[in-house]
Amino acid sequence: VLVNWLGSRHYRRFAWTSSGLYTLSGKTVKVLKALKAPVNVTVFMTEGSQLFPETQELLKRYKAASPQVIVETLDPTRNRARAEALVKEFGISGPSVVFKSGDRKKYVTVDQLAELDFSRARFGGEPSIKSFNGEQEFTSAILTVTESKTPKVLFTTGHGERKIDARSREGFWGVAETFRRDNCKVEEWASLGAGDVPAGADLLVIAGPKSAFTEAERDAVKKFLDAGGHALVFADVEFAPGKGTAMLDFGLRPLLEAYGVLLDDDIVIDPKNRVPQMGPETVFANSFRPHPITKLLEGSAVVFPLARSVRLAEKLPEGFTGTALVETSAEGWGETDLKNPEVRKDDRDVKGPVSLAVAIETSGKPEKKMRLVVFGDADFASNGGIANAANSYLMAGAANWALEREALIAIPPRATDQVAVTMTRGDIGTMTLVAVLFLPLLAVSAGIAVYLRRRR
């Protein structure tokens, strides 16, 4: 009675899972305590769907941590009218968790919430949760809908870049949709003859061009960066038409070299990290340098279907700092003999480990900090590649860092408790005897014993 009396007046929540699956991190608690406006959360899922219990339990912790978090569960099979209105308002196409504050909104799909293990599904079982990303996605969504400014992202056009409205394997629709889900305004910019980068742009994306930027365009991009702008550059492997094996630099080499970034004319090979059943040019990289972009990549891998090496100069220009983000193994190299390529390293090739992506920023504490991320491949972030391995984490990490939204990449996924029981045929036989023979006999014997004792 005393314990129940105390419990009714002093409510506390405790997490007992060994992995801390539902324990909110200090960063999330800090974000929730700082909320000044209500955040409405709608769980657009049926009760029987996978991840529904985990989602509900985690959101209870958010609601308990802040009265500004208002959670509603909407079962689309029971409330069709409201479900259709929600689909029309937010553009969602499946089970999702929708966050809204004022006129800002973001939705998180079920696919983003967890990494599933399908090994049991091969034997007729349900896939199990390998890692749960709920806290990272939910806190990022809350930060996105409560921040004061809507970032503006521009994708350059006019040079054969990947199209942001194309859902083909080569398109960048998935990348653009990631920005939109993070409450960014996404637009295209035809840079040829346009002069300066449009005012108000927060991030410039050059997504796999196939032809060269002019000097005037290059100067416009440099002016934007020098003024504290941010950019992502995806430099694909592209050969100049009619020139045999000459590789294009898209007119960007002088621009990149001004910031200490070197774009090599090679194809990255890594026999140690070669993707099975694919050509030698399709590699995965699992070596990451410490950096906010790679914070969530430890223990993961990123798949690059066809990449060129991009590296930092031995001495960076004054006022800049840089990091090689992703590297091949020490056995990898950059193959420079493009006329007679062989899976064999020689003295002319770029020595491993080879860098596949770099990040540059202005050092010190300037009023506006320039940030630039350059990748030696665009296929890894395309619609057909971004779902592979940890590709989406690298892409999202680079985008959020470039936009100075480090808080959106600060919470790692949580591993779930995986309890497995392995039984031999002998164990199964013993359990069968106990359940089918011993326990019933024990009950019958107890009944006989009671009957005989009462007769005495």
Side-chain angles (χ1 to χ4, degrees):
V1 171
L2 179 61
V3 169
N4 279 278
W5 181 82
L6 290 171
S8 66
R9 285 159 176 77
H10 303 280
Y11 180 74
R12 294 289 184 273
R13 299 182 70 93
F14 298 95
W16 300 101
T17 58
S18 60
S19 63
L21 185 62
Y22 306 116
T23 305
L24 299 183
S25 66
K27 179 169 284 293
T28 292
V29 173
K30 185 178 179 181
V31 168
L32 294 175
K33 289 187 179 297
L35 288 178
K36 294 183 174 63
V39 177
N40 294 285
V41 185
T42 304
V43 181
F44 187 68
M45 301 167 68
T46 59
E47 290 188 13
S49 61
Q50 194 169 27
L51 299 179
F52 180 83
E54 290 82 5
T55 299
Q56 290 282 36
E57 182 60 35
L58 184 59
L59 286 174
K60 286 180 183 177
R61 307 301 170 103
Y62 278 75
K63 189 176 178 180
S66 173
Q68 298 283 20
V69 178
I70 304 164
V71 181
E72 175 195 12
T73 301
L74 175 60
D75 189 334
T77 61
R78 297 182 180 180
N79 195 333
R80 287 184 176 275
R82 279 223 47 215
E84 289 175 2
L86 193 71
V87 169
K88 186 176 180 180
E89 180 182 0
F90 293 96
I92 57 179
S93 57
S96 309
V97 182
V98 179
F99 293 79
K100 184 176 181 181
S101 181
D103 60 350
R104 298 175 182 273
K105 54 194 176 183
K106 178 181 177 179
Y107 67 91
V108 178
T109 64
V110 170
D111 294 340
Q112 295 173 270
L113 290 179
E115 181 182 354
L116 300 180
D117 181 2
F118 292 92
S119 58
R120 296 182 185 178
R122 291 179 297 177
F123 304 101
E126 290 290 328
S128 58
I129 302 173
K130 190 175 180 181
S131 64
F132 188 56
N133 310 323
E135 186 185 357
Q136 178 197 352
E137 296 293 343
F138 293 166
T139 301
S140 295
I142 291 173
L143 284 169
T144 298
V145 300
T146 56
E147 64 183 358
S148 57
K149 181 185 177 183
T150 300
K152 184 177 180 180
V153 180
L154 296 181
F155 283 76
T156 62
T157 62
H159 314 87
E161 292 95 335
R162 307 294 178 104
K163 295 185 178 298
I164 61 174
D165 58 351
R167 301 204 184 194
S168 60
R169 288 184 59 84
E170 298 77 19
F172 256 43
W173 178 86
V175 172
E177 189 65 13
T178 299
F179 282 118
R180 294 189 188 100
R181 278 202 301 262
D182 284 344
N183 206 45
C184 295
K185 186 178 181 181
V186 178
E187 296 180 0
E188 292 183 334
W189 175 49
S191 55
L192 186 61
D196 295 337
V197 174
D202 295 284
L203 179 65
L204 188 65
V205 182
I206 301 175
K210 296 184 182 297
S211 60
F213 281 67
T214 64
E215 184 177 355
E217 291 175 293
R218 194 165 58 240
D219 290 343
V221 174
K222 190 174 189 305
K223 183 179 178 181
F224 169 72
L225 291 174
D226 289 343
H230 312 128
L232 300 180
V233 177
F234 299 84
D236 256 333
V237 173
E238 289 290 341
F239 297 99
K243 293 186 179 181
T245 58
M247 193 174 287
L248 287 175
D249 66 1
F250 318 109
L252 297 176
R253 182 168 277 131
L255 171 69
L256 299 179
E257 288 179 350
Y259 301 108
V261 179
L262 306 179
L263 192 63
D264 291 317
D265 294 337
D266 61 3
I267 294 176
V268 175
I269 306 291
D270 190 354
K272 182 179 179 181
N273 289 345
R274 176 179 172 179
V275 176
Q277 299 179 351
M278 302 295 286
E281 71 283 354
T282 301
V283 301
F284 66 88
N286 53 12
S287 177
F288 309 102
R289 295 282 185 91
H291 192 275
I293 293 175
T294 61
K295 194 166 187 176
L296 301 181
L297 294 174
E298 191 63 37
S300 303
V302 177
V303 177
F304 294 92
L306 178 62
R308 65 198 299 174
S309 62
V310 52
R311 54 194 171 91
L312 297 174
E314 291 185 8
K315 185 178 180 181
L316 294 179
E318 187 176 353
F320 292 91
T321 58
T323 303
L325 301 173
V326 189
E327 294 179 328
T328 66
S329 69
E331 297 178 17
W333 72 90
E335 179 60 54
T336 57
D337 186 0
L338 304 178
K339 191 173 183 179
N340 300 299
E342 296 182 12
V343 187
R344 186 174 61 190
K345 192 179 348 181
D346 59 42
D347 294 337
R348 295 172 297 174
D349 296 328
V350 178
K351 305 291 188 297
V354 177
S355 173
L356 295 158
V358 299
I360 293 283
E361 66 177 327
T362 46
S363 56
K365 296 182 179 179
E367 184 178 347
K368 291 190 71 176
K369 181 170 285 192
M370 186 280 282
R371 288 186 169 179
L372 170 66
V373 184
V374 183
F375 300 96
D377 180 36
D379 291 312
F380 88 94
S382 66
N383 298 334
I386 199 166
N388 294 330
N391 292 19
S392 61
Y393 285 113
L394 177 60
M395 176 60 225
N400 287 321
W401 178 79
L403 284 169
E404 299 189 45
R405 300 164 114 191
E406 286 92 334
L408 273 64
I409 53 176
I411 302 170
R414 299 290 177 88
T416 58
D417 296 321
Q418 299 290 337
V419 181
V421 178
T422 303
M423 300 179 64
T424 64
R425 288 183 176 272
D427 295 331
I428 296 173
T430 302
M431 286 192 64
T432 302
L433 287 174
V434 169
V436 176
L437 185 62
F438 179 72
L439 291 179
L441 283 176
L442 185 63
V444 171
S445 300
I448 294 173
V450 171
Y451 172 76
L452 293 176
R453 185 171 182 178
R454 286 181 177 178
R455 288 197 61 185
R456 290 178 183 175

